[in-house]
Amino acid sequence: MAISTTAETILSEEQRVFYREHGYLQLDSFVDEVWLAALREASQEFIELSRQITESNKVLDVEPDHTSGAPRLRRLISPLDHHDTFYRFTMEGPPAQLAMDLLGGPVRFHHSKLNYKWSGGGEEVKWHQDIQFWPHTDFTPLTIGVYLDDVDGEMGPMGVLPGSHLGRLYDLYDADGSWAGALSEADVATLDLGAMAWLEGPAGSVTVHNCCMVHGSLPNNSSRARPLLLQTYSAIESYPVAGIGANGVTGRNGGTIVGGSPSQMLEIDGRVLHGAPDWSRKGAPTIFGSQQKDG
Ligand SMILES: O=C(O)CCC(=O)C(=O)O
């Protein structure tokens, strides 16, 4: 599927260079009040919906002490699959424009999520890199976060380690071979945590981080929730590697091309090829049908 959103130039060259060199951006009040009001309204619908559940399901991830009277949400999974406002925002709105600007043309949407980090102890996100969760054929994937409310240092803002996107790709498995989804304590001890950039900002502020960036966030010990709407895009020439991590299970809109049409061009090991069409949804024809044009 392709979405014909037109790419606009919204960043300065200095901001693009900053992203390339440091691996992140922080844009204060980037999303306007009209979008913010619509996003908050959509989010509120899911908070209300969460009152009907006692444990996490495929749409909502809730904390163990979540109750209908006192909801405690961790995440709305793949928001754009469940609400048109989120769909339009992610496919046509500011994050889509920003991704196209940073990646220089049409982009491939991968997945989105709304992390709530609830007040009074909303959980930390341990230091990790994203690319191990959903490897791609290159390192262009980036994630754009939008704070739906004001976020200060007490609320567990996103923390990024500038420049780490150009460094080591860490092993996110535990010593016993189980998936940890976070750097080991030994690897964390090697990081310069004092250099961490904490991306705070008023409602509508945007964070961008590259898929290789070491990042995470502390618990939210404030009395306010910290809803952060995150969406991931890659360059159009970049493809998720099937069979690893979340690739293939990131929601029904994963793979949508924004701002162009699928090109099926890709570069592997320095060689460029024009791959066959995407047959993953309709089923593949046989080589006989394709070659005889009757399949
Ligand atoms: O919500 C956050 O603070 C960080 C989110 C994150 O890194 C993730 O969900 O992968």
Side-chain angles (χ1 to χ4, degrees):
M1 208 211 314
I3 303 287
S4 60
T5 300
T6 317
E8 287 171 27
T9 304
I10 37 185
L11 293 172
S12 64
E13 188 51 23
E14 198 184 356
Q15 287 171 312
R16 287 188 206 107
V17 170
F18 185 96
Y19 172 75
R20 281 199 294 275
E21 288 180 358
H22 301 277
Y24 77 100
L25 282 177
Q26 197 268 354
L27 305 168
D28 264 3
S29 307
F30 183 77
V31 173
D32 68 30
E33 275 302 327
V34 176
W35 268 120
L36 277 180
L39 292 168
R40 286 194 197 112
E41 198 179 314
S43 163
Q44 193 56 39
E45 287 180 30
F46 291 93
I47 296 173
E48 289 310 314
L49 193 65
S50 81
R51 294 181 191 277
Q52 297 171 20
I53 61 170
T54 51
E55 55 185 43
S56 301
N57 59 27
K58 286 187 178 159
V59 178
L60 291 165
D61 183 7
V62 295
E63 292 186 8
D65 50 353
H66 165 88
T67 62
S68 76
R72 292 193 64 81
L73 278 70
R74 280 198 291 228
R75 176 178 285 180
L76 168 59
I77 299 160
S78 204
L80 82 170
D81 287 347
H82 313 300
H83 200 292
D84 186 54
T85 298
F86 291 124
Y87 182 86
R88 285 187 299 105
F89 184 70
T90 302
M91 293 297 175
E92 301 160 14
Q97 298 297 334
L98 189 50
M100 286 192 279
D101 186 318
L102 278 168
L103 295 172
V107 293
R108 183 183 307 282
F109 170 73
H110 188 254
H111 77 282
S112 77
K113 54 206 170 196
L114 173 48
N115 283 356
Y116 281 98
K117 203 183 275 275
W118 215 256
S119 55
E123 287 162 23
E124 72 173 330
V125 177
K126 294 181 185 175
W127 304 120
H128 66 284
Q129 292 161 314
D130 291 331
I131 194 70
Q132 295 87 337
F133 286 79
W134 28 257
H136 277 59
T137 51
D138 66 22
F139 296 120
T140 59
L142 50 78
T143 297
I144 298 176
V146 181
Y147 289 128
L148 302 192
D149 290 324
D150 296 349
V151 172
D152 60 30
E154 229 197 329
M155 297 167 72
M158 169 81 80
V160 297
L161 189 57
S164 60
H165 67 305
L166 300 174
R168 186 172 149 200
L169 295 174
Y170 293 89
D171 192 322
L172 305 187
Y173 283 81
D174 268 335
D176 66 4
S178 61
W179 175 249
L183 269 69
S184 66
E185 280 178 24
D187 284 334
V188 171
T190 68
L191 302 178
D192 179 5
L193 294 179
M196 201 62 74
W198 299 102
L199 310 181
E200 306 167 16
S205 296
V206 157
T207 67
V208 183
H209 67 271
N210 175 264
C211 61
C212 300
M213 169 65 77
V214 173
H215 67 288
S217 57
L218 301 176
N220 177 6
N221 291 320
S222 80
S223 56
R224 290 145 289 143
R226 189 227 58 177
L228 173 61
L229 177 60
L230 296 148
Q231 33 261 309
T232 298
Y233 312 82
S234 72
I236 193 169
E237 300 84 11
S238 180
Y239 290 82
V241 177
I244 307 192
N247 288 332
V249 289
T250 51
R252 64 172 182 270
N253 289 294
T256 300
I257 302 300
V258 181
S261 308
S263 75
Q264 308 306 105
M265 299 300 297
L266 71 160
E267 184 178 323
I268 301 176
D269 213 5
R271 299 167 80 187
V272 173
L273 69 136
H274 195 179
D278 178 8
W279 293 318
S280 61
R281 288 173 205 231
K282 284 196 208 145
T286 67
I287 193 169
F288 304 106
S290 298
Q291 292 184 353
Q292 304 309 319
K293 303 274 186 217
D294 62 3

